[in-house]
Amino acid sequence: AVKRAGRRQLRRYHPEQDAVTEREQLLARELGHALPRQELTLAFQPVLRLHDSRIVKAEALLRWTHPALGRVSPAEFIPVAERSGLINPIGSWVLREACREALAWPDLIISVNVSAVQLLQFEFRATVHDALTRTGLNASRLELELTETAVLYEDERAARTLQELRDLGVLVSIDDFGSGYSNLMRLRTLPITGVKMDRSITSDLTSPQAGQFARALTLAVRGITRNLGVDLTAEGIETPEHLRAVQDLGCQLGQGYGLAMPMTAGQLTARLARPATCPDDQGAPRHASH
Ligand code: C2E
Ligand code: MG
Ligand code: MG
Ligand code: MG
C-alpha cells in the first residue's frame, strides 16, 4: 500500500503532467469567456465532387483566437470544451452560425462537427431544430458529422438520437472513419447518409508500406457505402497523388489542403463565384484562417 501511494505521489508531482493540467485549466477558464468576448469564428473548408471539381459542401471548422494565447487549435481546445461541458453552448453557437452563413450558399450543404457529448445531451435534437428554424435553413442542407467513437458503439441512445435527427431531415455522416475501431457492420444498422474516411488512410494510399492495405480498406468501404447508397468522402487530400489514388478507388467526394484550404465565409463566396475548373491558386494557404 505504501508503495502504491508512493507511486501515486510520483505521478501526481510529475512536472509535465502538472503543466498539462495547468494549461487545461487555463484553457477551460478562458474558453468560458470566448463566446461573450467574440473570440470564436468559423472557417469553411470546401468539399469537392471529384469528377468535376465542383464544390458541393463546406465543413464549418471552429477557430479560437485568444488575445494573449493567440490561435489555439481545435484539436487542443475541443477536448477541453468537452470535459468542461462548454462544448454544449459553444456547439449550439457553431450550429446556428454555420446555418446562418449557409444561407449565402444556396447550392451547398453545410457540414457541422458534433461531439459525442453534444449528441448524448437530452436536448440536442431541439438544439438542431432551433438552429434550423431560427435561421430558416432547410434541414436537407445541414449535415452533422459525428466521429465513429461517438456512434459506432452499441449505444442505443446514440442510435435513437441519430434517427430523430434523420427524422428532422438533416444528413448525418460518420467522421474520421478508419481512425479508430472502425465497425463496418455498424454502418449498416445506423441511419447515416455518409462516411468520411480519415486522412490517415488517404495518406497511407501513396505509401509503399501501408498502401496495399489502405487501398483494400478503401475499396471495402467504397463497396459498402455504395451498397448502402451513402456518400463516401476522402479526407486529407494533400497531393495530386492522393487525388489520383482516391479517384481510382471510386471516392466521389474529396476534401483536403490540396483541393481547398479552410477559408473565411467571404473567401468561400468569392471562390464560388469563379468557374469550378478555373485553374487558380487553390490549395495554396493564402490566409491564416486554417
Ligand atoms: P475534422 O472534423 O476531421 O476536420 C478536418 C480537420 O482536418 C480540420 O482541422 C482541417 O483543417 C484538417 N484538414 C483538412 N484538410 C487537411 C489536409 O489535407 N491535411 C491535413 N493534415 N489536415 C487537413 P481543424 O480545423 O484543426 O479541426 C480539427 C478537429 O477539431 C476536427 O477534425 C474536428 O474533429 C474538431 N472540430 C473542429 N471544429 C469543431 C466544432 O465546431 N465542433 C466540434 N465538436 N469539433 C470541431
Ligand atoms: Mg469533420
Ligand atoms: Mg474528419
Ligand atoms: Mg479529424
Side-chain angles (χ1 to χ4, degrees):
V2 172
K3 204 172 168 192
R4 231 184 291 141
R7 230 185 271 142
R8 215 171 18 236
Q9 283 296 75
L10 271 179
R11 209 179 296 139
R12 198 168 50 187
Y13 290 117
H14 199 287
E16 220 170 76
Q17 189 161 344
D18 268 4
V20 168
T21 309
E22 229 170 79
R23 169 86 175 166
E24 166 145 6
Q25 281 171 350
L26 170 70
L27 290 181
R29 198 165 59 236
E30 292 305 305
L31 204 48
H33 302 295
L35 266 181
R37 290 180 185 160
Q38 305 190 329
E39 295 165 3
L40 299 177
T41 55
L42 292 181
F44 299 90
Q45 186 178 28
V47 174
L48 276 67
R49 195 164 64 193
L50 296 177
H51 77 86
D52 60 0
S53 301
R54 274 186 76 95
I55 299 174
V56 291
K57 300 183 183 181
E59 178 175 6
L61 295 165
L62 192 54
R63 296 291 175 260
W64 180 24
T65 309
H66 184 274
L69 301 169
R71 285 168 176 276
V72 185
S73 159
E76 185 177 19
F77 74 76
I78 294 286
V80 175
E82 287 171 345
R83 283 193 285 269
S84 65
L86 283 167
I87 194 66
N88 290 320
I90 290 174
S92 304
W93 178 84
V94 170
L95 263 169
R96 214 164 46 238
E97 192 67 7
C99 290
R100 194 180 61 73
E101 296 280 20
L103 297 175
W105 312 310
D107 297 329
L108 301 195
I109 285 166
I110 185 86
S111 308
V112 175
N113 293 289
V114 172
S115 81
V117 178
Q118 292 171 272
L119 188 72
L120 294 173
Q121 205 198 2
F122 175 69
E123 41 318 346
F124 185 63
R125 182 199 167 278
T127 304
V128 174
H129 185 255
D130 188 61
L132 292 169
T133 51
R134 280 170 66 171
T135 59
L137 186 77
N138 193 296
S140 63
R141 292 192 46 218
L142 175 64
E143 170 178 63
L144 303 176
E145 294 189 4
L146 309 156
T147 57
E148 49 184 347
T149 45
V151 286
L152 287 186
Y153 292 117
E154 299 292 325
D155 185 317
E156 276 325 300
R157 185 137 144 256
R160 236 187 356 259
T161 307
L162 233 57
Q163 186 57 54
E164 285 175 7
L165 292 167
R166 289 289 298 121
D167 292 344
L168 279 181
V170 306
L171 308 173
V172 175
S173 284
I174 304 295
D175 202 357
D176 302 344
F177 191 81
S179 66
Y181 299 97
S182 310
N183 184 339
L184 291 170
M185 290 309 290
R186 196 76 172 121
L187 291 181
R188 187 174 67 86
T189 51
L190 285 170
I192 55 164
T193 54
V195 172
K196 297 187 79 172
M197 211 175 51
D198 193 62
R199 70 164 190 265
S200 62
I201 296 169
T202 302
S203 128
D204 280 354
L205 287 175
T206 55
S207 129
Q209 292 82 32
Q212 209 177 351
F213 180 78
R215 280 189 292 277
L217 179 61
T218 306
L219 278 177
V221 176
R222 180 67 203 108
I224 286 165
T225 52
R226 186 174 284 162
N227 178 269
L228 294 171
V230 306
D231 283 347
L232 176 60
T233 305
E235 302 188 281
I237 299 174
E238 295 178 345
T239 66
E241 291 72 32
H242 290 157
L243 178 59
R244 198 166 332 113
V246 301
Q247 274 186 297
D248 287 350
L249 294 165
C251 299
Q252 325 112 292
L253 302 175
Q255 183 176 0
Y257 296 163
L259 298 175
M261 297 296 291
M263 56 186 82
T264 65
Q267 286 167 341
L268 178 55
T269 299
R271 172 141 179 180
L272 288 169
R274 298 202 303 265
T277 50
C278 166
D280 60 9
D281 51 353
Q282 65 184 22
R286 286 175 298 157
H287 292 270
S289 59
H290 62 282

